Amino acid sequence: MARFTRAHIDLDALQHNFSLARELAGGARVVAIVKANAYGHGAVQVARSLPGADMFGVACIEEGLELVECGIRQPVLLLEGFFEASELPEIDRVGFEVVIHTDSQLECLLAAKLKKPLTVWLKHDSGMHRLGFSDQDFRQAYQRLQDSANVADIRLMSHFASADELNSAFTVDQVSRFDCACEGLTGATSLANSAGLLAWPQACRDWVRPGLMLYGCSPFDQQHETAARLQPVMTLRSHILAVRDLPPGEAVGYGQTWRAEQNVRVGTVAIGYGDGYPRHATTGTPVLVNGQRTRLLGTVSMDMLTVDLTDLPHAGIGDPVILWGNGLSANEIAVCANTIPWTLVTGMTRRVPRIYTNGH
Ligand SMILES: *Cc1c(COP(=O)(O)O)cnc(C)c1O
């Protein structure tokens, strides 16, 4: 019996989520964010399944080249631009679009000898304070780009710090800081990530940049009507490889962190943190065995974890287990593991084969 641990990737669900993004975007164009191997889902497979995306967004040139080399035709945006000048010849050759967020990039770009001018996304720091030009430097950078023969179109962008917090006023603040910084400048604008697109209509400008929502997870930690329409793309599956009955007083797993108070039936599942299942998931984290909800017991190991089968007397070796996905949202698991759904799906390791299906 081969180890059954798999991540099923439902490409129909991906397309459904993309259509929702497209619908919310209104007339705006959509940069589908596929950085970090499409949040663990497989960048090339995901990009191939989104022929309707206007552009793909990645974190670095290596990720961009992977798409281009596999025949993806849409333009590709490097969300952090280039890290050193030596990348520019390749960027020039392929025609990547680049974010410019800092002075050293600006100097490099202006000094470069390019065959074709590049489309530049000039990044404004509207309050995230991670990347981007301050209000004043933003305008100066814009002017210098506009005067350069190395620059074709200039697009204006910023990024939200707290758009996933529905009650935070800071997003509104960031939008107005951005609008202020852009006043009088011409160029298409872009603000919204998934949370912006789902919950902040004033953030949907000429281009939107959804990532997480394409993969069917909600960026919010509370119920949200529109986010509820998303369908999970990744379903993480394994099976039970051992079962035992334990009397009261016996503990399970490393560190003996969970101890039985009555007779229990314990199932061992062939998945662990070596596959990307979060080690910080605590006793009680929901797990589906034969489609029925039960709970994690004790500490997650590298290759295995243990679940409570006391109320599932018919469950046995070989029975299917779902860790998240269909019927059990990654959002719920993220809460139990004190993390966010982004890290769960992105953290799937190479050991887990991705199986691509079209849902039916
Ligand atoms: C990752 C990223 C996004 C997508 O964010 P989600 O919250 O996953 O939708 C959008 N814009 C930029 C600049 C990013 O780095």
Side-chain angles (χ1 to χ4, degrees):
M1 183 167 62
R3 194 170 189 256
F4 186 76
T5 309
R6 304 253 182 287
H8 284 251
I9 309 293
D10 179 348
L11 297 173
D12 284 344
L14 177 73
Q15 278 157 14
H16 164 90
N17 299 333
F18 178 79
S19 301
L20 179 58
R22 172 66 79 201
E23 177 191 322
L24 296 170
R29 280 177 281 182
V30 180
V31 188
I33 305 297
V34 296
K35 63 193 179 188
N37 198 27
Y39 295 41
H41 294 70
V44 172
Q45 296 276 5
V46 164
R48 280 190 184 138
S49 303
L50 295 177
D54 298 298
M55 189 177 292
F56 291 110
V58 296
C60 57
I61 192 169
E62 291 81 0
E63 292 181 345
L65 287 171
E66 184 192 10
L67 297 179
V68 172
E69 280 157 14
C70 292
I72 300 301
R73 295 295 175 80
Q74 289 103 313
V76 174
L77 171 62
L78 308 183
L79 292 165
E80 283 141 59
F82 46 91
F83 296 80
E84 41 182 31
S86 64
E87 297 170 52
L88 276 165
E90 195 75 340
I91 289 172
D92 187 21
R93 180 182 70 79
V94 179
F96 288 127
E97 303 198 3
V98 290
V99 169
I100 296 289
H101 60 78
T102 193
D103 270 329
S104 57
Q105 285 179 323
L106 185 63
E107 299 302 339
C108 276
L109 177 60
L110 299 184
K113 295 212 169 14
L114 304 178
K115 297 198 181 70
K116 279 192 317 281
L118 299 179
T119 294
V120 171
W121 295 57
L122 182 62
K123 188 158 190 172
H124 174 244
D125 181 2
S126 57
M128 174 84 163
H129 300 323
R130 187 178 63 175
L131 294 181
F133 292 92
S134 65
D135 293 338
Q136 198 187 0
D137 296 347
F138 186 68
R139 287 176 170 273
Q140 266 173 20
Y142 182 91
Q143 271 314 323
R144 297 188 66 197
L145 288 170
Q146 211 180 27
D147 296 340
S148 168
N150 280 342
V151 178
D153 282 345
I154 308 175
R155 300 190 172 129
L156 307 168
M157 71 174 297
S158 194
H159 192 58
F160 291 132
S162 312
D164 52 331
E165 289 169 37
L166 296 169
N167 302 318
S168 161
F170 192 59
T171 300
V172 181
D173 217 36
Q174 282 194 273
V175 171
S176 63
R177 288 191 204 181
F178 177 72
D179 285 340
C180 231
C182 294
E183 213 179 308
L185 308 182
T186 53
T189 56
S190 176
L191 283 169
N193 54 3
S194 297
L197 184 53
L198 285 160
W200 305 91
Q202 68 270 54
C204 293
R205 303 301 170 90
D206 301 306
W207 290 84
V208 295
R209 311 188 306 268
L212 186 73
M213 69 174 288
L214 300 178
Y215 309 105
C217 301
S218 169
F220 310 116
D221 60 5
Q222 53 186 282
Q223 287 300 318
H224 185 273
E225 201 180 316
T226 316
R229 291 167 59 194
L230 296 168
Q231 297 176 0
V233 175
M234 178 189 289
T235 296
L236 182 58
R237 299 172 190 271
S238 187
H239 63 183
I240 292 179
L241 80 157
V243 177
R244 74 203 62 244
D245 292 298
L246 295 177
E250 291 298 310
V252 175
Y254 283 123
Q256 301 185 291
T257 58
W258 183 84
R259 198 171 289 279
E261 285 173 3
Q262 52 205 22
N263 288 321
V264 289
R265 192 155 177 269
V266 174
T268 303
V269 182
I271 191 163
Y273 65 79
D275 303 291
Y277 190 89
R279 187 179 173 280
H280 289 102
T282 49
T283 288
T285 300
V287 175
L288 300 182
V289 176
N290 289 325
Q292 287 180 287
R293 246 174 119 95
T294 180
R295 57 179 186 143
L296 180 75
L297 296 179
T299 307
V300 174
S301 325
M302 185 183 288
D303 313 311
M304 288 169 270
L305 53 78
T306 38
V307 297
D308 189 352
L309 300 180
T310 311
D311 294 332
L312 303 174
H314 301 295
I317 292 177
D319 282 4
V321 176
I322 289 179
L323 289 310
W324 65 67
N326 254 336
L328 181 59
S329 87
N331 286 79
E332 200 179 335
I333 306 306
V335 170
C336 297
N338 192 23
T339 186
I340 53 175
W342 286 263
T343 70
L344 293 185
V345 290
T346 307
M348 278 294 98
T349 66
R350 258 176 22 154
R351 184 163 78 184
V352 182
R354 273 65 163 176
I355 312 290
Y356 293 88
T357 60
N358 285 72
H360 28 249

